[in-house]
Amino acid sequence: METAAPSAVIVAIDGPSGTGKSSTSKAVAAKLGLRYLDTGAQYRAITWWMITNGVDTEDPHAIAVAAGKPAIVSGTDPGAPTITVDGLDASGPIRTKEVTSKVSAVSAVPEVRTRITELQRTIAADADGGIVVEGRDIGTTVLPDADLKVFLTASAEARAARRSGELKGKEATDLAATREALIKRDAADSGRKTSPLAKAGDAVEVDTTDLTLDQVIECVVTLVEEKRAGRK
């Protein structure tokens, strides 16, 4: 007797930088056979395109005019997620310190958010079997009807330690500077008028400060499985 395939499920995982969103989201998607989308990479990609094409990233009007120009394509394999801009692999360039310092300003422009949000919704709708989508406004704006919404949090100290551990060579910095940068980005993301970073009213909050990555993954996997079981 054949067993029924697990029902498709859309999972929204939000939270500020350094809470473990990417690592958790990729692992959960891989474990449960779902697709995966890093929406932050899309905003980094459009920011990188703006920088390399000479668009003034401090001029909202210039950013708005250029928002529809780059062709951004996101691969959704959790084992090897990809992102290209105008056919070029952008996975490395979008992680530079320069992009990190400018992505909040570019992301705050309404025309950019409208463009990327439409792209994200299309990817989620086309994901056979379901998808884990991570970002900052997925549960509140992009996919308000997601089957499960999770909001990851952690102390600024824990987040700074994790982020510093990810940086190497020239990009490495001290904990205090990393913590200050994270807090500044939080303020920018939470304070923007269009789709601010916020916890959805029906999201499950998970504080990752004192949890290992494996514990966070297991927690979210359990939440997804409970959601699937509740449909049967």
Side-chain angles (χ1 to χ4, degrees), residues 38-140:
D38 175 1
T39 63
Q42 295 175 318
Y43 284 106
R44 284 176 170 274
I46 200 167
T47 300
W48 174 68
W49 184 92
M50 298 279 177
I51 293 169
T52 56
N53 283 274
V55 177
D56 184 354
T57 55
E58 295 183 4
D59 182 348
H61 176 69
I63 293 170
V65 170
K69 295 181 179 180
I72 300 170
V73 178
S74 297
T76 57
D77 178 355
T82 59
I83 186 160
T84 63
V85 181
D86 293 341
L88 300 174
D89 177 13
S91 56
I94 65 172
R95 301 296 173 184
T96 63
K97 200 169 185 178
E98 182 179 21
V99 171
T100 298
S101 68
K102 296 179 177 179
V103 66
S104 286
V106 173
S107 300
V109 176
E111 288 81 358
V112 170
R113 299 208 75 81
T114 296
R115 163 86 195 286
I116 300 299
T117 294
E118 290 174 353
L119 179 59
Q120 292 162 359
R121 287 174 176 164
T122 298
I123 292 171
D126 292 343
D128 291 336
I131 189 169
V132 177
V133 183
E134 60 132 318
R136 288 171 169 74
D137 65 341
I138 310 307
T140 54

Side-chain angles (χ1 to χ4, degrees), residues 148-167:
L148 173 66
K149 301 174 188 177
V150 178
F151 193 85
L152 299 184
T153 64
S155 69
E157 289 72 21
R159 292 162 51 211
R162 292 169 186 168
R163 186 47 51 89
S164 290
E166 294 172 0
L167 301 174

